Amino acid sequence: MLENLTQRMSRVVKTIRGEARLTEANTQEMLREVRMALLEADVALPVVRDFIARVKEKALGQDVVGSLNPGQALVGVVHKELTALMGGDLGAEAGELSLATQPPAVILMAGLQGAGKTTTTGKLAKWLVEGGHVQQGRKSGKKKVLVVSADVYRPAAIEQLKTVAAQAHVDFLPSDPSQKPEAIATAALDHAKRHHYEVLIVDTAGRLGIDEAMMREIRALHDLLRPIETLFVVDAMQGQDAVNTAKAFADALPLTGVVLTKLDGDARGGAALSVRHVTGKPLKFVGMSEKLDGLEPFHPERMAQRVLG
Ligand code: GDP
């Protein structure tokens, strides 16, 4: 078991008492503990460094109020900053999908192979078809949704989406590995327009690693589809590596949000902070199971709590 931040800090807290202000001296040891705990929670090192610097800036000189001791006051600052950096500072609507456009509203799914794109496509489609989504603070009703796969490299990928779509009771547009991804996208747009779909979700190919050809292809799809949402799907279990992947996708595409999958695993959620930091985009959803109802809106506060332990 990892020693969590709260435990780590309370050990140090006991050694400092009776000081009325957070200072360089009385925060130093505790910030070291924060640093260790964040690294153990799989937050990437550069992100940890930035975070510590931010906390320090906010904390130093702050008065310790009421019955708190400096350690507890610092825990408060850490918690507040974590929540803010997770997206708490983006306001309540950060986690919403934006669909307000001339239909079909296109959602483009991007990410590495195995990240959970196809599963998340099914989950999102189900969520939209059932009207579970919220827009500008209220539920905006059931949507007519079409899904399509532009993954022509993995023969099983198109079949997998077909199965997922059937389970989600969502319309699936067949595509074929002999087609070019751009041709699939064009056909899907055309089909969605002719049949008055409100939302078109386009699943894309993922590779095992980041390569330039893959990025070129998804950029071309983006240019063609002009999606209102470009979601980066990333596996929480990727931990520290999530940073490099997120950076590559954020550089290649104008992302609008992030979906963090497999949070039901034992990941401490540090990837959330890293990805948020690197992309600057809001986390919109988290994947909590393999099942199609395992998608939840992202809550910055809950994620901060998870990272803190
Ligand atoms: P893709 O290659 O990005 O399309 O990834 P898939 O959608 O095929 O997902 C890869 C594996 O991860 C599959 O076995 C999924 O069932 C699993 N998976 C996806 N999302 C989640 C999640 O939120 N939790 C869990 N436990 N498994 C997930």
Side-chain angles (χ1 to χ4, degrees):
M1 242 325 246
L2 297 175
E3 192 181 21
N4 68 31
L5 183 53
T6 315
Q7 287 163 342
R8 280 177 171 282
M9 292 185 89
S10 60
R11 236 183 328 109
V12 184
V13 160
K14 293 191 187 103
T15 65
I16 317 158
R17 287 189 187 283
E19 292 184 47
R21 193 159 273 229
L22 291 173
T23 64
E24 191 84 42
N26 66 19
T27 56
Q28 196 184 34
E29 198 182 337
M30 266 180 294
L31 284 175
R32 202 160 45 231
E33 295 292 330
V34 174
R35 186 183 141 92
M36 289 308 297
L38 291 176
L39 288 172
E40 282 176 6
D42 257 348
V43 183
L45 184 58
V47 180
V48 173
R49 282 206 197 105
D50 272 16
F51 180 77
I52 297 288
R54 249 178 105 125
V55 167
K56 214 164 149 178
E57 192 188 306
K58 292 272 155 75
L60 294 189
Q62 242 191 50
D63 289 331
V64 175
V65 283
S67 59
L68 295 183
N69 64 34
Q72 289 159 332
L74 189 62
V75 172
V77 176
V78 168
H79 191 262
K80 217 170 127 198
E81 271 310 289
L82 254 187
T83 306
L85 284 184
M86 292 282 191
D89 54 355
L90 295 174
E93 285 167 24
E96 291 183 15
L97 276 185
S98 163
L99 300 174
T101 181
Q102 183 86 359
V106 177
I107 304 176
L108 183 65
M109 309 298 284
L112 292 185
Q113 185 173 316
K117 284 183 304 301
T118 306
T119 311
T120 306
T121 300
K123 287 174 174 176
L124 263 183
K126 181 172 155 63
W127 170 270
L128 291 165
V129 159
E130 291 176 356
H133 60 297
V134 180
Q135 209 163 12
Q136 276 144 17
R138 55 193 170 80
K139 291 200 174 187
S140 65
K142 299 179 177 179
K143 297 286 180 195
K144 186 172 160 154
V145 182
L146 179 69
V147 299
V148 69
S149 172
D151 185 351
V152 296
Y153 306 100
R154 226 163 33 96
I158 296 172
E159 276 305 303
Q160 188 193 343
L161 184 63
K162 184 179 179 183
T163 306
V164 163
Q167 285 167 355
H169 302 292
V170 175
D171 292 346
F172 164 81
L173 184 69
S175 47
D176 191 277
S178 67
Q179 289 175 283
K180 287 221 157 53
E182 284 98 324
I184 294 173
T186 307
L189 258 187
D190 185 51
H191 185 90
K193 276 183 197 153
R194 274 193 289 118
H195 295 87
H196 308 291
Y197 282 95
E198 294 168 282
V199 183
L200 167 66
I201 311 182
V202 181
D203 191 10
T204 62
R207 304 291 158 81
L208 291 174
I210 299 152
D211 69 70
E212 199 34 55
M214 170 196 182
M215 292 304 180
R216 261 200 308 276
E217 179 184 297
I218 198 159
R219 258 197 311 266
L221 285 176
H222 184 276
D223 289 349
L224 203 152
L225 290 162
R226 302 188 170 278
I228 186 155
E229 289 279 4
T230 302
L231 300 178
F232 170 56
V233 181
V234 60
D235 180 345
M237 307 289 271
Q238 240 204 323
Q240 310 246 357
D241 289 341
V243 165
N244 296 332
T245 318
K247 186 159 181 0
F249 277 92
D251 286 348
L253 285 172
L255 302 175
T256 58
V258 178
V259 181
L260 190 67
T261 62
K262 308 185 199 179
L263 215 67
D264 50 316
D266 60 4
R268 280 280 297 281
L273 187 64
S274 303
V275 170
R276 170 80 182 87
H277 182 94
V278 168
T279 63
K281 300 301 174 201
L283 280 112
K284 297 206 171 195
F285 294 96
V286 293
M288 296 302 290
S289 90
E290 287 185 288
K291 301 216 178 72
L292 291 180
D293 55 4
L295 187 75
E296 294 180 8
F298 177 76
H299 294 287
E301 166 78 16
R302 275 187 223 165
M303 187 61 76
Q305 202 58 55
R306 181 177 176 127
V307 172
L308 284 173

